[in-house]
Amino acid sequence: MMVVNQQRTNCGIKWRWLYFVLAVAISHTSGTETSNDEWWQRTVFYQIYPRSFMDSNGDGVGDLRGISSRLVHLKDAGIGATWLSPIFLSPMVDFGYDITDYTAIQPEYGTMEDFAALLAEAERLGIKIILDFVPNHTSDQCEWFQRSVAREAPYTDYYVWHDGRVDPSSSNGTRLPPNNWPEDYDMVYQWRKLLDDWTRDYGGDSRIIMTEAYANITFTMKYYRSGEENQPRQGSHMPFNFLLITDLNRDSTAQDFVFTINKWLTYMPRTGATANWVLGNHDQRRVGTRYGAERIDAIHTLLLTLPGIAVTYYGEEIGMLDNPDAISSNGTGDSVTGGDAFIVFSRDPERTPFQWDDTANAGFSTGPTTWLPVHPNYRQLNLAAEKRSERSHYKTYQALVRLRTHATFRKGSIQLVPYSDSVIVYVRELQDADTFVVVINLSDGADRMVDLASVFPRLSPELTVASSGSESNYRTGDIVQSDRLIVGRYEGLVLQGVPLTSRTRDRDAMPSTNLAVLWRTVKDAAVIASIIIALGSSYYGLQPWHTIGKWTARGSLKK
């Protein structure tokens, strides 16, 4: 059953619950999901809003051919999969979420041939395409709905037809629309079985389900799988985690961030589940608008170094901002328009065209107008300029995406600590792999000293900068001291240490005779005291006492 979209009728309720189902698998590996390191667990997902990504024919509206022509950008950014907001045939009352025909392409986006060409280009680049599928409701212009209204079997059971219950808060007998939601979870489990069976029978990479539901944490976790203890039924691979959107903003403290991140990790099933982090989408204010433009790099550092899957909304990788003046030029914008209501409720400001370069219309369209006006900052803030610049939001994003392919970020543990009200620190560790420490300063205050060694005592004394923001004083490769790190305002740093097991192995393998030789050669009491201190440090897993000198990031000695 589905609940009809209440746009022109009163027999249903307008409510969104979206499946994003894998439409094409590029690699042809056989078998079903058995690994804890599948393609979808280690990639970055990128949401494209088709109307706003790239216009190929000059009509001011983005389309499939436009997306095909710019897919190479996703490859350059390190993106492994992209999901498209609905492209199916629709009267566009709700911008494609009111679907008329699930087997046809909306004409302004192109044709089925254009879609086939998009799949071919994605396969060439090694990028997976995911479609935004809406089984929860249809347009009232859908044939199924019209035949259901006419009471033609079997379409009468395609929708929920009921008078609804009387609204207890109303005095005039108003009725509340019916629904069949408490059944959502069971439907997700059925869809998951369908996809797993398909993959088993036909081979290829796992087909996945990504579900969107704004619910409390307990209900959201039920989308992962059923609560049956003996044989739980598997559900969504990715119940979207919106906590970075709904629970945090520019006024949030380090404690708020740590609490919110741990909240998802705590409630998530211990086995058979992968965390995910969604920073923005077509219904939410952009990262730079929500958290402040000066925090863009720091927030991306957070997103791309947390365990699990990262999801990026188009344009966030270059730091695009909301355009508060983004009122549709041809009446096709968001349904809420005009005055204060537009400013508060419209979603158009975060849906403006992608800013490719500093030419007319930001390189999005050759037409005289665009469906939404381009942000006026496009001459300075655009992809071409950021690619030319030595440092930029885009280059920081690229570096972080590359960094997260490291085994420690894919499989390692995490320990988060609010170092102060404004500084978040966390360590990512994996046995026999490099250790990484992430430091994020949310404050606009003066530089401050952070003693990472006091928080994570097993760190090596020296750390190497693996990533820094576009405005940072640090550069990749710089060496910093773990016990006296200077952190700048709005800083987002990723620091790389020496593998813990390597240091432990070196310490344990040291011949005992070396100790005697060293003691016989020591004459100065001050040196003896230093060695004793070093021995204590070794006991707690810090720098081995016998390696006199300074460590580099690779564990070799500096002479």
Side-chain angles (χ1 to χ4, degrees):
M1 291 185 180
M2 291 181 280
V3 182
V4 67
N5 184 4
Q6 186 187 25
Q7 294 289 335
R8 302 182 182 179
T9 176
N10 291 323
C11 45
I13 183 169
K14 180 182 177 183
W15 181 77
R16 276 191 205 125
W17 174 42
L18 315 179
Y19 290 114
F20 308 116
V21 183
L22 184 65
V24 60
I26 306 306
S27 302
H28 297 286
T29 357
S30 59
T32 57
E33 177 187 329
T34 56
S35 169
N36 62 354
D37 192 27
E38 297 232 356
W39 71 266
W40 55 273
Q41 294 172 305
R42 60 179 180 265
T43 196
V44 177
F45 288 81
Y46 185 90
Q47 181 191 357
I48 288 179
Y49 194 67
R51 300 182 69 83
S52 298
F53 197 62
M54 184 66 197
D55 170 25
S56 69
N57 58 8
D59 66 355
V61 177
D63 47 46
L64 295 180
R65 288 188 179 183
I67 295 173
S68 295
S69 70
R70 296 290 193 173
L71 272 185
V72 69
H73 164 57
L74 274 63
K75 183 71 173 180
D76 182 62
I79 304 298
T82 180
W83 59 273
L84 313 179
S85 292
I87 59 172
F88 304 109
L89 187 65
S90 166
M92 304 302 283
V93 175
D94 192 25
F95 276 108
Y97 287 93
D98 50 327
I99 296 174
T100 300
D101 188 343
Y102 292 88
T103 66
I105 302 294
Q106 176 68 8
E108 63 188 339
Y109 294 150
T111 65
M112 192 61 74
E113 290 72 25
D114 294 331
F115 181 62
L118 173 62
L119 296 184
E121 176 66 358
E123 183 170 6
R124 184 184 74 83
L125 295 171
I127 295 173
K128 300 186 187 297
I129 299 293
I130 298 172
L131 295 183
D132 193 333
F133 178 49
V134 189
N136 181 75
H137 54 259
T138 70
S139 163
D140 57 2
Q141 297 182 31
C142 177
E143 179 186 2
W144 302 340
F145 180 76
Q146 293 175 348
R147 298 181 76 168
S148 185
V149 171
R151 299 189 178 183
E152 293 183 28
Y155 298 98
T156 51
D157 286 337
Y158 276 36
Y159 300 83
V160 177
W161 293 101
H162 192 277
D163 290 338
R165 61 186 179 88
V166 175
D167 185 350
S169 64
S170 173
S171 59
N172 57 4
T174 301
R175 292 182 177 273
L176 297 173
N179 67 69
N180 64 336
W181 294 348
E183 300 175 20
D184 281 354
Y185 302 111
D186 183 69
M187 183 60 69
V188 174
Y189 306 149
Q190 292 182 50
W191 275 76
R192 173 63 180 270
K193 184 178 186 305
L194 172 68
L195 294 187
D196 286 349
D197 289 347
W198 178 278
T199 303
R200 184 192 63 242
D201 294 342
Y202 296 96
D205 288 344
S206 295
R207 279 70 172 178
I208 68 169
I209 301 176
M210 305 157 72
T211 52
E212 175 178 356
Y214 288 88
N216 68 40
I217 192 76
T218 303
F219 288 121
T220 299
M221 290 302 162
K222 291 183 179 180
Y223 286 104
Y224 271 120
R225 66 185 185 195
S226 70
E228 301 169 9
E229 293 185 5
N230 295 332
Q231 291 184 318
R233 300 169 66 193
Q234 298 302 313
S236 172
H237 297 76
M238 286 176 59
F240 274 162
N241 173 6
F242 295 125
L243 295 184
L244 298 182
I245 298 175
T246 59
D247 290 22
L248 299 170
N249 54 49
R250 66 174 67 205
D251 297 321
S252 299
T253 65
Q255 290 89 340
D256 296 329
F257 273 84
V258 171
F259 176 84
T260 299
I261 294 166
N262 280 332
K263 181 179 179 180
W264 186 273
L265 296 176
T266 299
Y267 276 86
M268 192 177 71
R270 294 299 91 196
T271 59
T274 302
N276 72 90
W277 313 94
V278 182
L279 206 50
N281 61 32
H282 60 290
D283 288 330
Q284 305 293 339
R285 296 288 181 249
R286 288 190 173 275
V287 172
T289 300
R290 201 167 65 248
Y291 285 106
E294 64 282 354
R295 293 186 178 91
I296 289 174
D297 291 338
I299 299 300
H300 275 143
T301 300
L302 177 78
L303 172 75
L304 294 168
T305 57
L306 289 175
I309 304 159
V311 182
T312 293
Y313 182 51
Y314 83 97
E316 301 287 25
E317 72 275 25
I318 64 172
M320 283 179 59
L321 303 173
D322 286 3
N323 181 5
D325 299 320
I327 300 176
S328 171
S329 61
N330 55 9
T332 59
D334 205 356
S335 57
V336 180
T337 57
D340 294 337
F342 173 82
I343 298 300
V344 175
F345 298 109
S346 175
R347 297 164 295 178
D348 286 349
E350 62 263 24
R351 298 178 178 183
T352 54
F354 191 98
Q355 295 163 210
W356 296 103
D357 53 45
D358 61 359
T359 62
N361 296 325
F364 164 76
S365 174
T366 58
T369 60
T370 55
W371 82 279
L372 284 177
V374 177
H375 197 295
N377 70 1
Y378 79 91
R379 294 193 182 277
Q380 296 78 38
L381 197 160
N382 61 74
L383 177 64
E386 294 196 12
K387 291 177 76 170
R388 289 193 303 267
S389 178
E390 179 185 357
R391 307 182 79 183
S392 64
H393 292 315
Y394 181 62
K395 290 193 173 178
T396 298
Y397 184 91
Q398 273 185 312
L400 288 165
V401 171
R402 287 194 299 267
L403 193 59
R404 76 189 305 274
T405 63
H406 193 287
T408 301
F409 287 112
R410 289 191 291 109
K411 302 177 182 180
S413 63
I414 185 171
Q415 180 186 355
L416 297 111
V417 177
Y419 186 85
S420 67
D421 286 346
S422 60
V423 176
I424 308 163
V425 296
Y426 52 96
V427 64
R428 300 296 313 276
E429 294 178 296
L430 182 67
Q431 186 172 359
D432 293 322
D434 293 334
T435 293
F436 291 88
V437 184
V438 180
V439 182
I440 295 173
N441 184 9
L442 304 169
S443 172
D444 62 353
D447 294 354
R448 62 172 303 164
M449 183 87 72
V450 173
D451 182 0
L452 293 173
S454 68
V455 183
F456 309 117
R458 293 190 297 171
L459 286 179
S460 54
E462 291 186 343
L463 304 169
T464 303
V465 175
S467 172
S468 59
S470 55
E471 299 295 326
S472 175
N473 290 324
Y474 293 107
R475 297 291 190 274
T476 300
D478 286 352
I479 303 296
V480 299
Q481 302 300 312
S482 62
D483 62 346
R484 50 185 184 277
L485 173 69
I486 302 299
V487 181
R489 59 201 297 266
Y490 307 126
E491 188 80 79
L493 288 175
V494 183
L495 307 171
Q496 185 172 2
V498 178
L500 292 176
T501 51
S502 296
R503 288 186 274 122
T504 303
R505 187 163 50 244
D506 290 344
R507 179 193 67 203
D508 295 341
M510 181 191 65
S512 59
T513 54
N514 288 353
L515 180 62
V517 171
L518 181 60
W519 277 103
R520 283 197 303 269
T521 59
V522 172
K523 303 295 184 182
D524 192 305
V527 175
I528 294 175
S530 298
I531 294 174
I532 293 173
I533 293 172
L535 279 169
S537 298
S538 176
Y539 180 80
Y540 289 103
L542 294 178
Q543 181 180 7
W545 65 268
H546 65 288
T547 51
I548 305 302
K550 295 184 177 180
W551 279 93
T552 66
R554 297 183 179 273
S556 59
L557 290 175
K558 281 188 173 180
K559 302 296 184 183

